[in-house]
Amino acid sequence: MRSGRRTLLALVAAVVALGAVASCSTDPVGDENRTVTAGPVIYPLSLRYHGIDVVADVPYGSDALQRLDVCLPADSAPDTTRTPTPTPGGTASATADEVGADTAGDGSTSGAGTSGAGVAAAGAGAADDGTGAGDGDAAGADTGDAAVAEAASGTRPAVLMIHGGSWSHGDKATAAYRSVCKYLASEGFVTFNVDYRLAPTDPFPAGLDDVRRALDWVFRPTTLSTYDVDSKRVGVFGGSAGGNLAAMLAVTDHDSTAYAEGDRIRAVVDLSGPTNLTTRSTEADGVSAAFQRKQLLYLGCRTYSDCPAATRASPEYHVTSDTAPFFIGHSTDEFIPLWESQEFAATLRRHDVPVTFVAVEGSAHSIAQLDEAMSKRVATFLREHLD
């Protein structure tokens, strides 16, 4: 009898355990929270990537900082190392100085320009492409470009990568960001590592306009065909200030011309991105006085009390149900408060946006979180949503 009772208790315990496992497995895919311990090194910097070509300094606009590098997967076709040249439709809608832009890093002649009727300047309204074309001409160009883009769309997933630096410094070609670019390429993603105009010379929304312009350039038919990019498999990645810009691209994506034409962001990786640049960030648990000054320089404001740009530049206030899935990484004790990403993740979830949130124990900021395990998490997330 006692043996039978023990057997019955064991069966009950097993059923309870299975129920607990089943309840865990019903969580939405990608909608999770984890706290992890980071490894001791920046993993992408510790590796050498064989066969990864980098096409350097490809222009996506006429400004000196409107340049990007392209990190290509090892099995890319040989002709993907060239700079795209414009299609007839693309030439018609590009400005003269963009069509005649000088050579890229490999010496190829570039014809990079804007897509359709110009860049949608997120948070600031649509920007004129400088052609002076009438509305009817622009609509016709958009329709033609959309058809060409559909035909030109390639087979590979792609990621637009945005460097950090408090919106005031930093560079796509620094060793750290170049290594992350190569790492993503080694995982099969055509990676566009972008520079953008910097504050205080060019305050908000200049940097955001630039990365939107770069993303529109990625969706151009010539870019898609040159680098074999599938227009339905494009994501964005950013760290620190770049995380803020990547998040802003995503939460305002539904306002862009490209989105209306079916080209949209499908996945977002945000590492330590500031998400609330309003007076909330100046409270006792907010950012330091030094970083507050950097934010104000970026926003083009003297004080937070009189700064309409603060809300416009904060991803927290622009989330919609159309926003792409997010991977958010943030350290527990870094100089950007953890609550910024926690509150942003909560806002995304309130809008039914899938979120993977990983809190990294310690003070590692931005891409310094990318040890081997975190790097694999990022690649897995991108692969799941850009597959």
Side-chain angles (χ1 to χ4, degrees):
M1 179 66 70
R2 289 179 181 175
S3 175
R5 186 174 298 168
R6 283 196 297 268
T7 301
L8 178 60
L9 290 173
L11 287 171
V12 170
V15 169
V16 170
L18 286 172
V21 171
S23 67
C24 291
S25 65
T26 58
D27 288 344
V29 175
D31 190 10
E32 60 188 57
N33 292 284
R34 294 184 183 178
T35 300
V36 301
T37 302
V41 298
I42 304 176
Y43 182 64
L45 280 177
S46 68
L47 298 180
R48 295 293 179 268
Y49 303 97
H50 301 290
I52 303 298
D53 285 319
V54 179
V55 187
D57 292 326
V58 180
Y60 64 86
S62 57
D63 189 89
L65 283 174
Q66 291 172 336
R67 299 289 184 270
L68 55 81
D69 296 343
V70 189
C71 296
L72 296 165
D75 59 348
S76 298
D79 63 351
T80 56
T81 58
R82 64 187 175 86
T83 301
T85 53
T87 60
T91 303
S93 62
T95 60
D97 58 346
E98 288 164 348
V99 173
D102 276 334
T103 61
D106 63 351
S108 315
T109 301
S110 170
T114 60
S115 63
V119 178
D128 193 330
D129 67 353
T131 63
D135 291 342
D137 293 340
D142 283 347
T143 302
D145 281 353
V148 174
E150 187 67 26
S153 190
T155 64
R156 297 178 185 272
V159 176
L160 181 77
M161 192 173 87
I162 309 170
H163 71 77
S166 303
W167 306 280
S168 62
H169 60 280
D171 190 294
K172 60 181 173 53
T174 58
Y177 276 93
R178 175 64 62 83
S179 293
V180 177
C181 186
K182 289 182 175 181
Y183 170 73
L184 292 173
S186 76
E187 292 291 322
F189 304 99
V190 178
T191 306
F192 299 91
N193 186 11
V194 62
D195 272 341
Y196 50 92
R197 287 173 293 170
L198 301 170
T201 304
D202 294 295
F204 177 84
L208 179 57
D209 288 348
D210 282 356
V211 295
R212 170 61 65 187
R213 186 186 190 96
L215 184 61
D216 286 350
W217 181 88
V218 169
F219 285 124
R220 283 178 60 83
T222 50
T223 307
L224 298 174
S225 61
T226 296
Y227 300 120
D228 190 24
V229 169
D230 184 346
S231 64
K232 307 300 183 188
R233 302 167 69 194
V234 177
V236 295
F237 172 110
S240 192
N244 165 271
L245 292 171
M248 281 299 301
L249 278 181
V251 298
T252 60
D253 195 31
H254 60 282
D255 291 329
S256 72
T257 302
Y259 190 95
E261 294 173 354
D263 295 329
R264 59 195 63 180
I265 295 167
R266 307 289 175 167
V268 189
V269 176
D270 163 19
L271 302 180
S272 305
T275 56
N276 194 329
L277 281 59
T278 67
T279 53
R280 172 70 179 93
S281 68
T282 70
E283 295 176 8
D285 60 349
V287 297
S288 67
F291 195 75
Q292 289 176 34
R293 290 192 291 272
K294 292 178 180 180
Q295 282 190 166
L296 287 173
L297 287 173
Y298 168 62
L299 296 170
C301 298
R302 295 177 63 87
T303 66
Y304 283 95
S305 60
D306 184 23
C307 189
T311 300
R312 291 169 51 212
S314 298
E316 172 72 25
Y317 298 99
H318 304 283
V319 177
T320 74
S321 59
D322 294 321
T323 299
F326 263 76
F327 179 101
I328 300 174
H330 204 118
S331 288
T332 57
D333 191 30
E334 61 164 292
F335 71 91
I336 302 298
L338 181 61
W339 63 258
E340 293 209 36
S341 285
Q342 290 173 324
E343 292 183 4
F344 183 50
T347 299
L348 289 164
R349 285 171 174 150
R350 281 197 299 273
H351 288 82
D352 297 322
V353 177
V355 179
T356 298
F357 183 87
V358 180
V360 180
E361 293 180 349
S363 59
H365 176 65
S366 182
I367 60 173
Q369 300 168 23
L370 293 176
D371 64 353
E372 181 175 5
M374 194 68 161
S375 298
K376 288 181 177 178
R377 287 187 185 96
V378 167
T380 298
F381 169 83
L382 289 170
R383 195 169 291 112
E384 286 176 351
H385 292 281
L386 303 180
D387 200 5

